[in-house]
Amino acid sequence: MALKKEYVCENCGAKYPKWIGMCHNCGVWNSINEVNVDTSKNPVNRGVTSGLSKIDLKNISEIDNNLHQIRYKTGIEEFDRVAGGGLVKGSVVLIGGEPGIGKSTLLLQISSNLSNVANCLYFSGEESVAQIKLRYERIKHNNSDFKIASSNSLDSIIESIKEEILKSKDTIVVIDSIQTLTNLSNDSFAGSITQIKTSTQVLIDFAKTNNVTVIIVGHVTKDGNIAGPKLLEHMVDAVFYLEGEKINNYRLLRAIKNRYGSSDEIGVFEMRADGLAEMSNPSELFINRRKVDIPGVVTFASIEGSRAMMLEIQSLLVDTNFPAPRRSVVGIDLNRLYVILAVLESICKVSFQRKDVYVSVVGGIKISDPAVDFAVAASLLSVFRRQPIKSSYVIFGELGLTGEIRNVTQANIRIREAAKLGFNSAVTSKKLEGEFDNLTTFWNIRDFYQEFFG
């Protein structure tokens, strides 16, 4: 075995012939580490054709995909919704999130439920089996039985899985977490980019070859990426993020990538003493039905995947003497706020130049739906004029640069959800006029401003 020393950046994976203080590729200091590379495994060094076999090509009509149509129902409807109906046999799923957000707890609940229909193996590189048992007893809901082990060696884990496959073809493996694994074929330390990438590729190859379902846990770094750069997201079949603030009990499971389902679904959970509990009607969690209307508070009808949710938008304006007023947002894109403020100043002739602007989505939800434009604009106008908008209204619509209120997708789903929760009227684009009852519609934000705040 011929070994060669290389210097690899643990942040971006860039290689260098010698050690340097800062990576020229990503600009991170002290991220270069020495690793030993087995050059004998490189086909270039032994001849391209040496020891290689040709690829077996098949006609697409002859391929049997019945195995990938098998889905394991986890018994947690919010998770199954995000996964597209359940875990696909032979798939590799990556679940990311900040440490302590509830990933291990969720996977213990999933393993507990799935152990009734499959052979579930839970490998932890962070906790001992005694620690896992303590958490399991706290969240246990049924008399399920699955196998656990504590190990950091990927090679040993693979050998253990091979033995279990002989006992049951329906095998589901949980790896918690990918940052703790080491592979003997790679000399770098656990948690490095090369080690993570190599270990993940080994797991993917094994899962596809043996039709084993693998769930991998990946911790999120300070910049919000799974295990450093997002290289793992391109390798696996599905990527789910578990989001939420540790100071509140609500958690969102969001699909970022899903080869077997929709990539924009979310699941809503509440962290409790006995684990993560499903929230089947999340709209009731994020809106506060007040008896007194308050300026700057608007209810927004959002679409997250196939689900409609009622969310509360709050705005605050504070006088300032600084030449550059502050703009702060929670839950929406800051650039979107800049555009909305520009449109309101240009079309409605209101000035925010001497005011700090704060906009927040209650509950910590992050919104990418363009229909939030109208709700944010209405909230800002309400607090600017110090006149409340009735709490019985829901508002949604995209705001154009000319002040036009544009139609948005799935308006009927939004309105039905609002009506189910007791809202009397919806304020949206004029293009929907005549299609639904109890609609207040406008062509332009100027018309809305004159009508509501005259």
Side-chain angles (χ1 to χ4, degrees):
M1 182 175 65
L3 294 178
K4 176 185 176 182
K5 289 186 178 180
E6 285 187 352
Y7 296 87
V8 182
C9 176
E10 67 177 13
N11 183 64
C12 67
K15 298 179 180 180
Y16 298 93
K18 63 180 181 178
W19 185 88
I20 56 177
M22 184 187 75
C23 176
H24 298 315
N25 185 51
C26 64
V28 175
W29 286 89
N30 297 323
S31 62
I32 310 298
N33 296 286
E34 179 184 317
V35 296
N36 293 324
V37 180
D38 184 6
T39 57
S40 63
K41 297 181 180 180
N42 190 346
V44 176
N45 296 331
R46 66 175 190 237
V48 175
T49 60
S50 175
L52 297 180
S53 59
K54 66 178 182 179
I55 300 174
D56 183 20
L57 296 172
K58 294 182 179 180
N59 291 329
I60 192 169
S61 58
E62 299 175 354
I63 298 174
D64 182 15
N65 65 341
N66 291 330
L67 286 175
H68 285 84
Q69 294 178 357
I70 300 175
R71 289 184 181 267
Y72 300 106
K73 297 286 187 179
T74 65
I76 303 176
E77 294 184 3
E78 291 296 298
F79 183 90
D80 290 340
R81 171 196 288 271
V82 177
L87 292 171
V88 176
K89 186 172 185 177
S91 64
V92 180
V93 179
L94 175 65
I95 297 183
E98 296 180 356
I101 203 68
K103 301 183 298 299
S104 299
T105 300
L106 176 62
L107 291 180
L108 275 178
Q109 292 179 237
I110 292 174
S111 300
S112 175
N113 293 343
L114 285 176
S115 62
N116 297 318
V117 296
N119 183 21
C120 291
L121 312 176
Y122 190 103
F123 296 94
S124 175
E126 302 176 349
E127 297 177 294
S128 66
V129 291
Q131 290 175 310
I132 299 173
K133 180 65 180 296
L134 284 175
R135 181 187 288 114
Y136 174 69
E137 290 177 345
R138 176 171 57 87
I139 67 174
K140 187 176 179 181
H141 297 288
N142 50 45
N143 296 321
S144 59
D145 190 20
F146 62 97
K147 299 177 181 179
I148 62 175
S150 178
S151 176
N152 298 108
S153 173
L154 177 61
D155 304 272
S156 300
I157 290 174
I158 292 295
E159 291 301 318
S160 300
I161 299 174
K162 288 180 180 179
E163 293 184 4
E164 295 296 330
I165 292 176
L166 299 176
K167 302 176 184 178
S168 174
K169 294 182 179 180
D170 293 319
T171 300
I172 300 174
V173 179
V174 176
I175 305 294
D176 186 10
S177 67
I178 192 64
Q179 278 92 342
T180 63
L181 294 187
T182 56
N183 184 8
L184 291 178
S185 63
N186 195 305
D187 191 52
S188 58
F189 58 89
S192 66
I193 292 300
T194 53
Q195 189 67 260
I196 291 172
K197 185 176 181 180
T198 303
S199 299
T200 303
Q201 189 60 59
V202 171
L203 287 170
I204 292 174
D205 293 340
F206 183 82
K208 301 302 180 184
T209 303
N210 298 278
N211 290 313
V212 173
T213 303
V214 178
I215 305 176
I216 301 173
V217 174
H219 292 307
V220 168
T221 57
K222 290 185 295 184
D223 56 355
N225 296 328
I226 295 181
K230 293 192 175 184
L231 54 89
L232 294 188
E233 296 189 12
H234 301 285
M235 301 170 64
V236 298
D237 296 313
V239 180
F240 304 148
Y241 272 87
L242 190 61
E243 304 171 351
E245 299 292 337
K246 294 181 181 180
I247 58 175
N248 63 46
N249 296 329
Y250 304 123
R251 302 288 187 267
L252 293 182
L253 185 67
R254 189 182 301 271
I256 304 299
K257 172 187 176 181
N258 193 353
R259 289 174 179 162
Y260 307 109
S262 175
S263 60
D264 56 1
E265 287 285 359
I266 68 167
V268 184
F269 299 88
E270 182 181 6
M271 178 63 78
R272 297 176 181 173
D274 58 348
L276 288 168
E278 301 178 72
M279 296 288 101
S280 58
N281 190 5
S283 294
E284 296 180 349
L285 300 176
F286 302 116
I287 57 175
N288 188 0
R289 305 304 296 271
R290 299 180 177 87
K291 295 182 180 180
V292 179
D293 298 331
I294 302 174
V297 177
V298 169
T299 302
F300 162 58
S302 174
I303 289 289
E304 296 291 341
S306 59
R307 162 187 283 162
M309 294 175 57
M310 299 299 109
L311 303 175
E312 190 174 282
I313 308 293
Q314 294 184 354
S315 297
L316 177 65
L317 301 178
V318 180
D319 294 333
T320 180
N321 294 322
F322 289 99
R326 184 176 182 180
R327 288 6 182 175
S328 177
V329 296
V330 176
I332 66 171
D333 184 17
L334 180 60
N335 292 326
R336 187 179 293 274
L337 175 62
Y338 288 140
V339 173
I340 294 172
L341 291 175
V343 172
L344 294 181
E345 291 192 1
S346 175
I347 305 301
C348 299
K349 306 303 179 183
V350 294
S351 177
F352 300 95
Q353 294 180 1
R354 293 294 181 182
K355 295 182 181 297
D356 292 334
V357 179
Y358 301 88
V359 178
S360 174
V361 181
V362 177
I365 302 291
K366 296 180 181 179
I367 300 176
S368 58
D369 188 353
V372 75
D373 291 354
F374 193 7
V376 172
S379 176
L380 289 169
L381 292 174
S382 172
V383 72
F384 180 83
R385 293 298 300 269
R386 298 181 181 178
Q387 297 180 25
I389 296 176
K390 291 182 179 180
S391 59
S392 59
Y393 285 92
V394 292
I395 301 178
F396 62 92
E398 185 178 358
L399 192 62
L401 294 180
T402 61
E404 176 192 7
I405 300 174
R406 304 174 61 85
N407 194 11
V408 293
T409 59
Q410 298 177 299
N412 55 338
I413 298 178
R414 302 173 196 258
I415 294 175
R416 290 194 195 106
E417 178 69 14
K420 185 171 66 176
L421 294 174
F423 291 91
N424 297 329
S425 183
V427 182
T428 184
S429 170
K430 193 78 170 179
K431 295 179 181 179
L432 289 177
E433 189 174 29
E435 297 185 22
F436 304 99
D437 298 329
N438 299 325
L439 278 183
T440 304
T441 58
F442 300 94
W443 284 114
N444 196 283
I445 190 66
R446 184 193 300 111
D447 302 330
F448 168 81
Y449 181 55
Q450 295 174 350
E451 176 73 20
F452 273 71
F453 307 104

